[in-house]
Amino acid sequence: MRKLTLTRKRSFVASIMKIYIYIQTDEQPELVLQGVPLKLVTTMKNGETSEFEIPNEAVNLFVVFDKHIPNSFHTRTIINPGEAPVVLYTKPKLNPFRGNPFIIYE
């Protein structure tokens, strides 16, 4: 297991929205997006940082920014296999026609 640190950058865009962080799982999934079984690991508000454990193998990370329609409003990244801790950032991009989508970057 390794540590993943995810920081939601403070932004005026979508500042009152919570985001839902899902990670790929082999257990009973809470949600399936793009054919990937997922479990909820945390919710984040504007400017928050969360740390949690992820497996050493490659794993999918999803940021869902609308809990009522997660199939339409989410973004995904694949975290490569390894043993080193991973640090990622996410923030919304202004685009009201697409629900102000979040981007994930290192």
Side-chain angles (χ1 to χ4, degrees):
M1 298 294 275
R2 57 189 166 152
K3 182 171 73 169
L4 170 63
T5 304
L6 181 66
T7 300
R8 178 178 171 178
K9 291 291 200 173
R10 186 168 291 281
S11 172
F12 181 74
V13 176
S15 61
I16 60 172
M17 293 175 49
K18 286 184 189 176
I19 58 172
Y20 305 86
I21 309 302
Y22 287 88
I23 198 85
Q24 185 176 349
T25 185
D26 294 329
E27 302 167 5
Q28 181 66 27
E30 298 174 26
L31 180 66
V32 176
L33 293 175
Q34 299 179 2
V36 179
L38 303 168
K39 71 175 180 177
L40 179 68
V41 290
T42 190
T43 60
M44 298 177 74
K45 294 180 181 178
N46 202 15
E48 285 188 337
T49 297
S50 290
E51 294 181 351
F52 44 91
E53 296 287 322
I54 60 170
N56 289 343
E57 57 267 2
V59 66
N60 286 284
L61 172 82
F62 282 78
V63 174
V64 174
F65 46 98
D66 187 334
K67 77 174 188 175
H68 301 293
I69 314 171
N71 288 320
S72 297
F73 297 105
H74 65 269
T75 189
R76 168 189 182 182
T77 191
I78 298 174
I79 301 170
N80 293 324
E83 295 183 12
V86 179
V87 178
L88 296 175
Y89 301 92
T90 187
K91 71 176 185 175
K93 184 177 177 184
L94 181 62
N95 186 343
F97 300 108
R98 295 196 59 229
N100 296 322
F102 276 74
I103 56 172
I104 302 170
Y105 58 97
E106 292 185 21

